[in-house]
């Protein structure tokens, strides 16, 4: 059932973002695919724009910025982009990163992230993947450019996701969607608790 929930989230969120249209469960059931790859991010036109993993560990996120050594498990992490990413999500119940080489979004859930916030996180991943789908990945500075592009896109799309759920969130319930059940994780995922020193703190 949970992979179906992800497909439904794609359909509902992409129509909401692209067409400002809310679909009912009955309408969604008419366009659902019988067989769908788990974790796929698909836009309302039917095109695949990427993939998503939700409830991943913070270590999985760190791997995107610097792989762990096989034996020591130590990492050399590119700290500037990671710090910029954490700044974007300082007050959010999740952290999102989109890995351009694999076209995969990774969602880290914070302690207390409720079911509706998980849906918002998935919606955010879908919108980011849509914006970055087919982005240029070649050239001498491809790694730097892609990190800057990803962070900029993630930051710039966050207000649109907030606005969409402020406008349509209550109406989703009215048309028959249950936003109180955590159904996007295929198994119980990780939760992280992060606190960073504020400016002036040691």
């Amino acid at each position: 059932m949970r992979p179906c929930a992800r497909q439904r989230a794609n359909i509902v969120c992409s129509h909401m973002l692209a067409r400002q249209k809310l679909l009912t469960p009955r309408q969604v059931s008419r366009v659902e695919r019988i067989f769908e790859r788990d974790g796929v991010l698909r836009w309302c036109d039917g095109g695949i724009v990427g993939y998503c993993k939700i409830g991943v560990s913070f270590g999985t996120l760190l791997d995107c910025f610097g792989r762990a050594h096989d034996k020591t498990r130590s990492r050399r992490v590119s700290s500037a982009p990671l710090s910029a990413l954490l700044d974007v999500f300082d007050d959010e119940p999740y952290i999102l990163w989109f890995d351009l080489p694999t076209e995969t979004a990774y969602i880290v859930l914070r302690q207390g992230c409720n079911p509706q916030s998980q849906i918002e996180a998935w919606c955010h991943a879908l919108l980011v993947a849509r914006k970055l789908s087919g982005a240029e990945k070649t050239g001498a500075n491809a790694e730097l450019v892609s990190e800057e592009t990803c962070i900029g896109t993630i930051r710039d799309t966050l207000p649109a996701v907030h606005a969409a759920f402020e406008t349509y969130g209550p109406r989703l319930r009215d048309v028959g969607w249950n936003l109180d059940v955590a159904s996007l994780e295929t198994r119980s995922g990780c939760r992280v608790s992060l606190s960073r020193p504020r400016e002036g703190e040691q």
Side-chain angles (χ1 to χ4, degrees), residues 2-156:
R2 288 178 178 178
C4 292
R6 295 177 176 190
Q7 182 182 178
R8 290 166 189 159
N10 286 334
I11 296 169
V12 171
C13 290
S14 62
H15 277 80
M16 182 174 68
L17 291 168
R19 301 172 180 172
Q20 292 76 55
K21 180 180 180 181
L22 291 184
L23 299 184
T24 67
R26 182 183 292 265
Q27 289 172 318
V28 168
S29 69
R30 293 172 181 161
V31 296
E32 278 184 292
R33 297 168 186 264
I34 297 175
F35 300 105
E36 180 68 289
R37 178 175 172 177
D38 187 24
V40 70
L41 294 171
R42 192 184 293 275
W43 199 245
C44 55
D45 60 6
I48 294 176
V49 294
Y51 304 89
C52 186
K53 297 182 179 181
I54 187 170
V56 302
S57 68
F58 193 70
T60 299
L61 180 68
L62 290 179
D63 281 342
C64 295
F65 295 91
R67 300 292 177 184
H69 189 279
D70 288 339
K71 293 183 179 179
T72 66
R73 305 307 299 166
S74 62
R75 289 182 176 87
R76 296 187 64 181
V77 175
S78 182
S79 60
L82 178 60
S83 180
L85 180 69
L86 295 179
D87 283 343
V88 173
F89 293 100
D90 199 35
D91 296 318
E92 301 298 325
Y94 65 92
I95 303 166
L96 167 67
W97 176 248
F98 189 79
D99 185 56
L100 269 176
T102 61
E103 296 186 326
T104 301
Y106 295 94
I107 299 172
V108 176
L109 301 176
R110 283 186 149 129
Q111 291 285 353
C113 183
N114 62 37
Q116 179 166 327
S117 293
Q118 293 178 35
I119 298 170
E120 291 182 29
W122 188 273
C123 184
H124 193 185
L126 177 63
L127 183 57
V128 168
R130 168 69 173 177
K131 298 286 187 181
L132 293 176
S133 179
E136 181 61 51
K137 306 169 196 174
T138 60
N141 297 316
E143 183 176 349
L144 178 61
V145 171
S146 64
E147 287 180 345
E148 291 176 348
T149 300
C150 282
I151 292 170
T153 302
I154 289 168
R155 180 186 59 246
D156 294 344

